[in-house]
Amino acid sequence: MTTKLPRRSLLAGLLVTGAAGCVGSGAMTAASARRKAPADPWQGVRDEFTLSPAWIHMTAFLLASHPRPVREAIERLRRELDENPVDALHAHEDLAPVREAAAAYMGAAAEEIALTDSTTMGLASLYLGLPLEAGDEVLTTEHDHYSTHESLRLAAERTGAVVRKIALYGRSSAATATEMAGAIEAALTPATRVVAITWVHSSSGVKTPVRAIAEVVARANQGRAPAKRVVCCVDGVHGFGVEDATMADLGCDFFAAGCHKWMFGPRGTGVLWGKRELWPMLRPSIPSFGRAAYEAWLRQRPPPPTTADMMSPGGFHSFEHRWALPAAFAFHRGIGKARVAARIHALNRQCKEGLKGMGHVTLHTPLDAALSAGIVCFEVAGMTPEAVVGRLRERRIIASTSPYATSYVRVAPSLLTSEADVEVVLRAIRALA
Ligand SMILES: Cc1ncc(COP(=O)(O)O)c(C=O)c1O
């Protein structure tokens, strides 16, 4: 499938003029701030989305709005499927173009990528597919998401392996890379088979030093027999579409991410990447509809060694979404991964520096760009996170609370927001004092 790049330069749309002004309260707050914003080369990118301009959308980490090229690809494919489902199915049956587009974005090989419907599906397929046994240990952290913890619990229940959860840091805002990698190193034992971590914690906004942790794991593997080696697995969803990193840069063994958050991919799409030589160790939980597995069944032969293709859950999917996924990777590559990362980090810095200066706010996300990405977590003295999110909604700002036992307010300055939007958000939080 070929993917068209945006019709005009994504950065060409200078649609707003004038100086940033003060913003009052009420329903027009977000819209009026946007109108008064200074000329902004990123407006062209924001114009690719049909997000309601009545709101400031500080939740790019939750569920994507589709940008124009993704919407158009989905519509084209939906029409094709509705006109003739069988011929459309055959025309797009080879998913190599989707995997190649993902591979080009991730700096990986297409054969190393399984297609999934979400981060959760990727993590569950991975953890339930690992050859764990009674007595094996899985090392994870207290900071990971429900999807990691529950996938590991289910895997442990079936195999008799033990899941151990450790803290990578005491205070998230003061976390350091050395401390986090050191915590993993100290917790590894001869029984450890898996290190399960998350690139960017949606509980605190902390970005973990995946490369340093992968190096700790690689050192632990020196001298271990292949069957006793530790695999380093990452929930990468909140760095994917934010950071300018390849799989080789990260150095981990497996990496799962949904494409329907920061990537702005079709809702219900995701990828699971793994090093080429490691796929045979996995056992699929859901039969793939890939050629090799199906052929073996047709010829009544045992299945071949597991590949990434065989770890792509089979059955029919919402195909117009899956086949349109290359458009999302092309959207990001059209802007440039380095530019996307620099933009998101600049807006997050602006947001965090603003919050840091407020006496009634406790910032839980590190200021350092090496230790944070696009999520900012904080608390407001004397208010529950839900109350803060409610007050922000009154100002037409959509924020969220982190769905963890200890919950914070979360905002995500992103490609969907401008400097002026971040200023409006900071003003609204300042007004809560
Ligand atoms: C860290 C993390 N992992 C996984 C998920 C679930 O992602 P998905 O909806 O793609 O399964 C979330 C949810 O937003 C998350 O914050």
Side-chain angles (χ1 to χ4, degrees):
M1 188 194 321
T2 53
T3 307
K4 276 192 260 167
L5 281 173
R7 266 191 299 266
R8 60 194 154 76
S9 161
L10 287 165
L11 296 173
L14 299 173
L15 301 182
V16 283
T17 52
C22 292
V23 179
S25 60
M28 288 309 291
T29 301
S32 56
R34 218 174 250 127
R35 250 183 274 114
K36 288 176 187 169
D40 175 0
W42 288 90
Q43 185 65 42
V45 172
R46 294 195 295 278
D47 284 346
E48 297 291 77
F49 296 83
T50 54
L51 284 159
S52 163
W55 297 89
I56 292 179
H57 300 267
M58 282 281 161
T59 43
F61 56 82
L62 265 177
L63 184 60
S65 167
H66 297 155
R68 186 186 52 74
V70 174
R71 285 197 307 279
E72 288 178 356
I74 292 171
E75 275 319 304
R76 200 171 54 247
L77 291 158
R78 192 195 310 281
R79 226 175 299 121
E80 213 179 310
L81 276 160
D82 284 336
E83 282 168 13
N84 187 337
V86 172
D87 282 359
L89 196 55
H90 289 145
H92 299 281
E93 151 179 83
D94 179 6
L95 291 169
V98 180
R99 296 164 79 199
E100 278 160 12
Y105 177 83
M106 298 167 86
E111 304 74 52
E112 296 170 332
I113 294 171
L115 298 175
T116 65
D117 292 356
S118 63
T119 324
T120 307
M121 185 185 275
L123 292 170
S125 311
L126 170 62
Y127 293 134
L128 290 161
L130 286 168
L132 294 169
E133 291 174 2
D136 288 348
E137 226 172 71
V138 175
L139 180 60
T140 189
T141 83
E142 293 170 358
H143 321 288
D144 295 87
H145 187 259
Y146 167 87
S147 299
T148 288
H149 284 172
E150 281 300 282
S151 297
L152 292 177
R153 185 182 65 78
L154 294 170
E157 250 178 37
R158 288 186 195 180
T159 58
V162 172
V163 178
R164 224 175 120 206
K165 290 180 192 158
I166 60 160
L168 290 181
Y169 41 78
R171 205 153 48 87
S172 53
S173 57
T176 67
T178 311
E179 177 190 19
M180 289 190 266
I184 294 286
E185 187 152 37
L188 287 170
T189 74
T192 312
R193 294 284 165 277
V194 182
V195 166
I197 55 168
T198 293
W199 194 1
V200 179
H201 293 153
S202 53
S203 48
S204 62
V206 168
K207 180 167 68 184
T208 59
V210 173
R211 172 136 208 126
I213 292 172
E215 283 167 3
V216 161
V217 171
R219 277 200 299 279
N221 280 334
Q222 278 169 13
R224 285 201 188 201
K228 299 288 177 197
R229 65 161 290 164
V230 187
V231 283
C232 179
C233 305
V234 178
D235 170 347
V237 73
H238 293 301
F240 198 54
V242 176
E243 300 295 347
D244 180 18
T246 63
M247 295 302 103
D249 293 334
L250 292 175
C252 56
D253 293 315
F254 288 102
F255 177 99
C259 299
H260 46 204
K261 296 179 187 286
W262 298 90
M263 274 311 307
F264 304 127
R267 292 178 285 267
T269 56
V271 288
L272 172 62
W273 170 88
K275 284 181 178 158
R276 197 185 295 267
E277 67 275 16
L278 295 180
W279 288 102
M281 79 190 292
L282 299 181
R283 270 187 87 226
S285 301
I286 298 177
S288 88
F289 273 18
R291 197 175 294 271
Y294 219 101
E295 288 263 320
W297 177 77
L298 285 174
R299 293 176 200 284
Q300 298 182 24
R301 294 207 180 117
T306 306
T307 60
D309 190 33
M310 289 167 67
M311 286 295 290
S312 300
F316 291 162
H317 297 272
S318 31
F319 282 125
E320 60 272 54
H321 280 212
R322 178 164 286 190
W323 299 339
L325 181 52
F329 293 118
F331 181 75
H332 275 260
R333 295 181 75 206
I335 302 169
K337 278 178 81 170
R339 256 171 153 163
V340 167
R343 171 68 175 168
I344 295 173
H345 276 283
L347 291 172
N348 275 267
R349 170 158 287 279
Q350 178 193 351
C351 184
K352 285 182 287 186
E353 281 177 350
L355 290 174
K356 193 100 186 106
M358 297 182 200
H360 61 301
V361 170
T362 306
L363 179 63
H364 291 292
T365 306
L367 273 179
D368 188 347
L371 298 167
S372 59
I375 298 177
V376 178
C377 293
F378 62 95
E379 283 176 291
V380 174
M383 292 180 79
T384 63
E386 288 77 16
V388 174
V389 169
R391 291 285 291 279
L392 294 178
R393 279 191 85 87
E394 288 168 14
R395 300 283 188 115
R396 314 298 286 175
I397 296 161
I398 305 183
S400 85
T401 57
S402 52
Y404 290 82
T406 303
S407 181
Y408 300 134
V409 186
R410 290 186 301 188
V411 291
S414 72
L415 298 189
L416 307 178
T417 58
S418 65
E419 288 87 347
D421 290 334
V422 173
E423 273 316 308
V424 173
V425 171
L426 290 174
R427 227 169 270 145
I429 297 167
R430 201 169 290 121
L432 298 174

